[in-house]
Amino acid sequence: MPGYSPQEIEKKWQAHWQAQQTFKADNSSAKPKFYALDMFPYPSGAGLHVGHPLGYIASDIVARYKRLRGYNVLHPMGFDSFGLPAEQYAIQTGQHPAVTTEKNIDTYIRQLSSLGFSYDWSREIRTSDPAYYKWTQWIFLKLFNSWYNLDTNRAEPLKTLLAKFEQNGSEGIRAAGGDEERHSFTAGQWQSFTEKQRLQAVHPYRLAYQQDTYVNWCAGLGTVLSNDEVKDGLSERGGFPVERRLMPQWNLRITAYADRLLQGLDTLDWPDAVKEMQRNWIGRSIGAEVTFPIKNEELKIKNSVGESTDGQQPTTNNQQPAIKVYTTRVDTIYGATFLVLAPEHELVQQLTTPEQQQTITDYIDATKRRSERDRMADVKAVSGAFTGSYAVNPVSGEPVPIWIADYVLAGYGTGAVMAVPSGDQRDYLFAKHFHLPIVQVTDAQQALDEQADPTKEGRYINSGIINGLGYKEATTKLIEFLEEKGLGKGKTNFRIRDAIFGRQRYWGEPIPIYYKDGVAYGVAEADLPLVLPEIDEYKPTETGEPPLGRAKDWKYKGQYDYELSTMPGWAGSSWYYLRYMDPHNAERFVGEAAEQYWQNVDLYLGGAEHATGHLLYSRFWHLFLKDLGLVTANEPFQKLINQGMILGRSNFVYRINGTNTFVTLGKKDQHQTTALHVDVNIVHNDVLDTEAFKKSRPDYNSAEFILEDDGRYVSGWEVEKMSKAKFNVVNPDVLVGQYGADALRVYEMFLGPLEQFKPWNTNGMSGVGGFLKKFWRLYHPADGAFAVTDEAPKPAELKALHKAIRKVEEDIERFSFNTTVSALMITVNELTALDCHKRAILEPLVVILSPYAPHLAEELWQLLGHEAGSISSATYPEFREEFLVEDTVNYPVAINGKVREQMSFAATATAADIEAAVLGSDFLAKFGDGKTAKKVIVVPGRMVNVVV
């Protein structure tokens, strides 16, 4: 038989697995279940590079190992196939996003299959498939038709809220969300409301609701962007200007779940860094909400609540013209010498005096060009504008000037800050810059002429009713005072804000809402899915409507306008793990029996960049579905691992300035040069293929080279992020063709710990390829015929095997894949040295290799006489301690602490036996210089020291 030929073997077994559906999982089994999941990819046109499969290989190793341990394993794959890149490509080329997405998915499936992943492809899902997004829309309708009852601390169908309205009107209802948009009415008024009035009263309670919201609007892309998609006021994709704009947006009330999302983190086996990021994002704080009345009564500030034409419109709860602020340091309120509002605050225009109008307008215009992330991150620059108006400090009665500044965000808290410059450094810098008062509030504050001092120590001074008190007593007394006067209350607040759930783009799930008489209605569940209509162009209309505004005759029941926004990219990914459990169920988003069997994901692998996006939203959706009794597990992902990034190894050529001549690395210091990235695929062991380089670009056709003395062009190198722009992307197809998929799998694990960043170096692939060839030769000596014998194994062979059995088991269980590869390499070297070709050793050895190199393992397993393709149903070999027990122990033997030689003794020898053997040998004669032994110290299993 010829030598090891990975390409031939791998195609054979990939075809077998596909034909036999080897990895198809059952939704019921007497075996324990294990659900291993990768964060599914967005299918970009570029396909995979070698950095992408890292996590997929790790999860596949675990999935294959768990099958060997007797688990029923669910290991699915699908595609997050809605997204802005496909739409942008459609705008540029006129090609429908579905066409390019389909083509890209075909590429991904081919590449993933070529790497031998044990996916259950019968469960593949695509978020852009109407059969899938029907259920995304269905979950949205459940959110739209639910509210969060603070008394029961869970979401409930709206029918329970309507029952309360019928009985007592709005009185006594405790619901998540702010009261500003809600109405007060009696049961009698409710009975007399029209359908429209009832829906308007209910809307502010919904978990999916529409509200005017400040968003990052990108006119160049024609859509709203998340903070993550904006950098320095420009869109990350395309570099178009982005501005903050108030637009009607659909929101999901994730804030209702803030406390539960925090508490649930304690039950999860996730990286501490990810859990801490979520805690910070949720941002729970305990403080007080304080009302600052407006001093400038002549401004006649109103609530701007529309008048009802029929006299039946309920009244809003917020009637008094005032500014509410949330503070965690109400104890410092006597030091609040000014208020700062977000430039977007609803009262800014009404508070602005004529003299300040231009200043305020200019400042607001400048703020629109900055993203919230930029505003939060910029802690050095000081800017702001005075409105001309004053509020009244509710405890001191002193007038407080009202400013606006971009470091205050409209969506956090109340959009207003009680500025205490003596206790907060940002307020301090603002006060210094604009020459505002700084009032010391405790006798422990120091160096206020240099910086703020936030200490809670000492006693309060300059603080009216709390003078002389400590922090706790002062806080309690102030909250009691504010509540008694109706000017404030104790309150727990969260940094997290409701999630914007709309994008003004085409390639996304249509939101299943239609409008009747200006009021939002949910599409009937029986009419789902609401499928994307065909349109002539994929950009906004000439009148500024989203692309769906181009659809002709697209109306619900032929008469009602649909919502023209589509869902954000994270909609379909928030619940996809559930659909994998039962992907072909046409009656339910997931069958009850399937969900109860699989419960949740046991191992989830993906990038840490999803910590506060996808992972948080998925937990929110899961808790909501749990409230409605639709799922049984408390959390979606029990264990999370964030794989590190594989960095590219870039290569450089050095062009002599002003010429088309390139000088080799060893001689570049003799010239003035510019380093240019060169395609790593035409560089081998840092030696450039100069002919391939000349063909790579037209302007390099006439390139000349100053070479090393041996005639080579040696390029420079550097470790950087892998990207097309740096020409350091390595296509796995090339490596699979050259070395085989098993070699690529093993090499990526060998690079280093899974969670760490690590540099890619294609040169290392040959070493791993050599290891697999050496493994093959244990079964095919000298690359000849299959020659495994049934001879009884020797103790040394059993020892090598069982060390490997234990090491591989321990390492996979703790996800230390790189050390497993090292251990297997050592084992193969040991068995090669022992000239071992015995079935009793090599049969279990191929089983423990199979999670890493499954194609090679399947081939050898069949040659060993087993049914084709059956290694996945084999049993992981049992580790036996007795094979590691040593018969003899080597002892270093020293004189006066200096080791002179090694001596072997039986493992059962006592200290007295060892002492007698040493003294009875020629050891002292050789090394003792004629001296006699005063004492012999024996450290069992370690060493012997003869004192002379």
Side-chain angles (χ1 to χ4, degrees):
M1 184 174 181
Y4 173 50
S5 177
Q7 292 79 7
E8 180 181 336
I9 289 171
E10 288 167 3
K11 288 178 181 177
K12 167 186 171 181
W13 289 109
Q14 288 163 15
H16 178 92
W17 295 332
Q18 182 179 8
Q20 300 298 317
Q21 292 191 295
T22 303
F23 309 113
K24 188 172 182 178
D26 294 323
N27 279 353
S28 61
S29 174
K31 297 178 180 180
K33 70 94 180 181
F34 189 83
Y35 186 175
L37 182 63
D38 302 300
M39 291 184 185
F40 63 169
Y42 171 77
S44 72
L48 296 174
H49 63 61
V50 293
H52 293 130
L54 180 68
Y56 303 159
I57 296 169
S59 68
D60 194 61
I61 288 169
V62 175
R64 289 177 176 276
Y65 167 77
K66 287 294 184 180
R67 292 190 189 97
L68 298 174
R69 302 297 306 196
Y71 285 83
N72 180 29
V73 175
L74 174 57
H75 189 38
M77 176 50 76
F79 300 95
D80 194 7
S81 49
F82 273 133
L84 189 57
E87 184 166 41
Q88 284 303 110
Y89 188 75
I91 291 171
Q92 294 164 11
T93 65
Q95 198 169 15
H96 196 288
V99 174
T100 54
T101 299
E102 182 81 19
K103 180 181 177 182
N104 296 343
I105 287 175
D106 288 345
T107 299
Y108 269 64
I109 290 176
R110 178 188 58 77
Q111 290 186 301
L112 292 169
S113 298
S114 75
L115 292 171
F117 296 129
S118 61
Y119 293 133
D120 180 354
W121 281 109
S122 71
R123 296 175 184 253
E124 181 205 339
I125 59 174
R126 304 175 183 190
T127 58
S128 58
D129 181 353
Y132 177 85
Y133 70 70
K134 164 186 177 178
W135 297 108
T136 308
Q137 293 172 335
W138 182 85
I139 295 171
F140 173 85
L141 289 176
K142 292 295 181 187
L143 287 156
F144 180 69
N145 290 312
S146 298
W147 69 297
Y148 199 93
N149 188 342
L150 293 176
D151 290 329
T152 60
N153 197 31
R154 65 183 182 88
E156 296 179 4
L158 281 178
K159 63 183 181 182
T160 64
L161 177 65
L162 300 181
K164 292 177 181 291
F165 288 168
E166 292 278 354
Q167 187 171 3
N168 298 309
S170 61
E171 185 178 357
I173 293 176
R174 298 181 64 248
D179 293 332
E180 293 78 9
E181 301 295 324
R182 292 174 181 165
H183 306 112
S184 295
F185 50 84
T186 65
Q189 287 177 308
W190 173 259
Q191 297 291 342
S192 65
F193 285 167
T194 63
E195 178 186 17
K196 178 178 180 178
Q197 289 170 335
R198 287 190 176 195
L199 289 172
Q200 288 173 329
V202 168
H203 191 81
Y205 291 85
R206 297 181 188 272
L207 290 182
Y209 65 95
Q210 195 176 39
Q211 186 179 63
D212 284 348
T213 306
Y214 276 96
V215 296
N216 299 315
W217 171 249
C218 180
L221 294 176
T223 188
V224 170
L225 301 178
S226 68
N227 286 329
D228 292 340
E229 297 169 314
V230 182
K231 185 173 181 60
D232 299 326
L234 301 175
S235 63
E236 195 169 51
R237 178 171 293 276
F240 297 105
V242 177
E243 68 172 53
R244 299 289 291 169
R245 181 183 290 187
L246 191 64
M247 297 177 66
Q249 286 289 321
W250 283 95
N251 296 265
L252 298 188
R253 207 179 296 280
I254 190 174
T255 51
Y257 287 86
D259 248 335
R260 291 167 64 186
L261 289 168
L262 273 177
Q263 294 163 11
L265 290 171
D266 296 332
T267 69
L268 299 177
D269 184 5
W270 285 18
D272 289 338
V274 174
K275 293 200 282 188
E276 194 58 28
M277 286 175 72
Q278 288 210 358
R279 290 189 182 102
N280 291 336
W281 191 265
I282 295 166
R284 187 178 191 271
S285 61
I286 299 174
E289 188 175 81
V290 182
T291 300
F292 282 73
I294 303 301
K295 182 175 185 293
N296 304 49
E297 296 293 343
E298 66 275 11
L299 291 173
K300 298 181 181 179
I301 298 171
K302 299 178 181 178
N303 276 314
S304 66
V305 176
E307 298 292 332
S308 171
T309 57
D310 55 14
Q312 296 296 324
Q313 182 71 31
T315 58
T316 59
N317 294 328
N318 180 23
Q319 293 294 312
Q320 297 301 318
I323 295 173
K324 289 186 177 182
V325 303
Y326 174 79
T327 177
T328 58
R329 293 295 306 273
V330 71
D331 58 298
T332 64
I333 191 169
Y334 282 94
T337 56
F338 57 100
L339 295 181
V340 185
L341 308 185
E344 305 91 343
H345 195 285
E346 61 184 2
L347 293 180
V348 169
Q349 291 304 324
Q350 294 163 293
L351 289 168
T352 302
T353 60
E355 296 79 9
Q356 295 297 115
Q357 186 63 59
Q358 190 59 51
T359 300
I360 292 291
T361 299
D362 292 345
Y363 190 82
I364 290 173
D365 289 343
T367 301
K368 287 179 180 179
R369 294 189 288 272
R370 305 189 71 198
S371 71
E372 286 193 355
R373 171 171 290 184
D374 291 340
R375 288 161 60 178
M376 292 169 68
D378 187 3
V379 296
K380 295 181 179 179
V382 178
S383 68
F386 179 43
T387 65
S389 295
Y390 292 81
V392 177
N393 187 310
V395 293
S396 70
E398 293 293 321
V400 179
I402 304 170
W403 289 68
I404 64 170
D406 63 5
Y407 75 85
V408 182
L409 304 179
Y412 177 60
T414 63
V417 168
M418 175 187 90
V420 181
S422 67
D424 180 274
Q425 186 63 20
R426 200 155 198 176
D427 296 343
Y428 181 90
L429 294 174
F430 194 93
K432 282 286 189 181
H433 186 82
F434 291 108
H435 309 292
L436 297 167
I438 299 173
V439 175
Q440 183 176 356
V441 291
T442 80
D443 57 13
Q445 287 178 310
Q446 298 180 357
L448 292 181
D449 57 336
E450 299 175 7
Q451 62 184 11
D453 184 351
T455 181
K456 297 178 182 178
E457 303 300 322
R459 300 286 168 175
Y460 289 89
I461 60 175
N462 303 319
S463 296
I465 62 173
I466 59 169
N467 275 336
L469 300 181
Y471 170 72
K472 288 185 177 179
E473 306 98 310
T475 300
T476 300
K477 185 167 184 176
L478 282 168
I479 291 175
E480 288 175 351
F481 173 83
L482 292 168
E483 289 179 346
E484 178 185 340
K485 300 295 185 183
L487 292 170
K489 60 183 178 181
K491 187 177 181 181
T492 299
N493 204 33
F494 296 90
R495 182 180 294 112
I496 192 172
R497 285 165 281 169
D498 285 341
I500 295 175
F501 196 72
R503 295 290 186 269
Q504 287 64 50
R505 66 186 188 201
Y506 174 73
W507 191 234
E509 300 92 335
I511 295 177
I513 291 292
Y514 68 94
Y515 295 93
K516 176 179 157 184
D517 196 18
V519 176
Y521 288 77
V523 169
E525 291 180 7
D527 294 328
L528 298 178
L530 173 57
V531 179
L532 272 174
E534 294 294 327
I535 58 177
D536 57 352
E537 286 188 274
Y538 305 106
K539 58 186 180 183
T541 69
E542 288 71 15
T543 56
E545 291 179 316
L548 288 182
R550 296 179 177 275
K552 295 180 180 179
D553 303 319
W554 192 55
K555 293 180 181 291
Y556 188 56
K557 304 294 186 184
Q559 57 181 321
Y560 302 116
D561 289 335
Y562 281 119
E563 168 63 47
L564 298 181
S565 297
T566 53
M567 296 186 193
W570 54 266
S573 64
S574 290
W575 72 282
Y576 76 111
Y577 61 95
L578 292 168
R579 190 61 178 171
Y580 281 138
M581 299 177 185
D582 196 14
H584 308 297
N585 192 326
E587 305 301 322
R588 206 172 185 273
F589 75 111
V590 59
E592 291 184 74
E595 189 278 329
Q596 289 168 10
Y597 177 73
W598 293 110
Q599 292 279 310
N600 60 4
V601 176
D602 297 287
L603 174 65
Y604 198 29
L605 269 88
E609 67 272 16
H610 299 290
T612 54
H614 159 63
L615 290 171
L616 197 60
Y617 296 140
S618 293
R619 295 182 63 221
F620 158 46
W621 278 43
H622 192 92
L623 285 171
F624 168 71
L625 294 170
K626 170 86 170 173
D627 285 350
L628 267 55
L630 298 171
V631 297
T632 51
N634 292 321
E635 289 279 348
F637 316 117
Q638 192 55 42
K639 180 172 182 64
L640 172 72
I641 295 178
N642 297 133
Q643 78 271 12
M645 184 184 295
I646 288 183
L647 302 171
R649 190 179 190 274
S650 301
N651 282 109
F652 297 91
V653 292
Y654 302 96
R655 184 169 62 194
I656 299 175
N657 293 345
T659 74
N660 204 22
T661 300
F662 296 83
V663 62
T664 187
L665 177 66
K667 299 181 179 181
K668 78 177 183 69
D669 291 339
Q670 302 169 19
H671 306 269
Q672 288 189 337
T673 63
T674 300
L676 303 173
H677 283 90
V678 64
D679 186 352
V680 296
N681 295 290
I682 58 173
V683 178
H684 305 282
N685 292 321
D686 295 332
V687 176
L688 176 70
D689 181 337
T690 53
E691 289 304 312
F693 176 73
K694 290 167 74 173
K695 295 175 184 176
S696 65
R697 276 175 40 181
D699 51 327
Y700 293 159
N701 287 343
S702 60
E704 296 181 355
F705 302 92
I706 299 175
L707 306 174
E708 301 286 343
D709 293 341
D710 59 6
R712 298 177 305 151
Y713 185 99
V714 178
S715 63
W717 65 273
E718 184 178 321
V719 173
E720 304 177 285
K721 182 178 179 180
M722 196 172 284
S723 73
K724 288 189 294 183
K726 300 180 187 300
F727 298 97
N728 61 0
V729 170
V730 180
N731 188 329
D733 296 350
V734 174
L735 298 180
V736 169
Q738 186 174 356
Y739 299 97
D742 284 342
L744 180 60
R745 290 169 62 107
V746 173
Y747 182 58
E748 292 217 6
M749 293 298 96
F750 185 57
L751 283 173
L754 179 63
E755 296 89 345
Q756 292 183 8
F757 282 38
K758 36 203 168 282
W760 178 266
N761 186 352
T762 299
N763 301 335
M765 285 287 295
S766 57
V768 170
F771 156 67
L772 294 178
K773 289 178 182 176
K774 205 168 187 178
F775 194 99
W776 173 265
R777 290 177 188 134
L778 291 174
Y779 303 77
H780 301 82
D783 282 339
F786 185 74
V788 174
T789 73
D790 290 322
E791 292 180 66
K794 296 176 182 178
E797 296 166 337
L798 288 166
K799 179 182 177 183
L801 170 66
H802 283 269
K803 280 195 304 183
I805 291 172
R806 181 172 65 178
K807 180 64 173 172
V808 172
E809 178 180 0
E810 290 176 348
D811 284 354
I812 293 181
E813 292 285 359
R814 59 191 178 91
F815 311 102
S816 181
F817 305 105
N818 61 310
T819 51
T820 294
V821 176
S822 299
L824 287 171
M825 289 177 170
I826 291 169
T827 302
V828 169
N829 287 338
E830 290 176 346
L831 294 175
T832 299
L834 292 167
D835 197 26
C836 176
H837 308 291
K838 297 168 183 172
R839 177 181 297 274
I841 301 298
L842 300 186
E843 190 165 274
L845 183 65
V846 77
V847 173
I848 66 174
L849 175 75
S850 64
Y852 286 81
H855 308 89
L856 173 59
E858 286 278 26
E859 183 71 12
L860 295 173
W861 189 247
Q862 184 181 25
L863 291 170
L864 286 163
H866 299 281
E867 182 184 351
S870 65
I871 198 167
S872 294
S873 56
T875 301
Y876 191 84
E878 179 185 0
F879 166 70
R880 293 174 60 181
E881 182 76 40
E882 62 263 31
F883 293 125
L884 300 191
V885 175
E886 302 280 359
D887 293 331
T888 61
V889 179
N890 289 327
Y891 280 80
V893 184
I895 288 182
N896 290 344
K898 188 173 183 178
V899 175
R900 292 297 187 179
E901 73 174 2
Q902 301 278 335
M903 297 179 70
S904 295
F905 302 98
T908 56
T910 65
D913 295 335
I914 294 171
E915 180 178 345
V918 171
L919 295 177
S921 70
D922 62 352
F923 178 75
L924 274 175
K926 289 166 60 179
F927 304 107
D929 296 330
K931 298 177 182 177
T932 59
K934 292 182 180 180
K935 182 167 58 173
V936 178
I937 302 169
V938 178
V939 182
R942 299 287 299 279
M943 71 170 294
V944 180
N945 185 32
V946 180
V947 181
V948 297

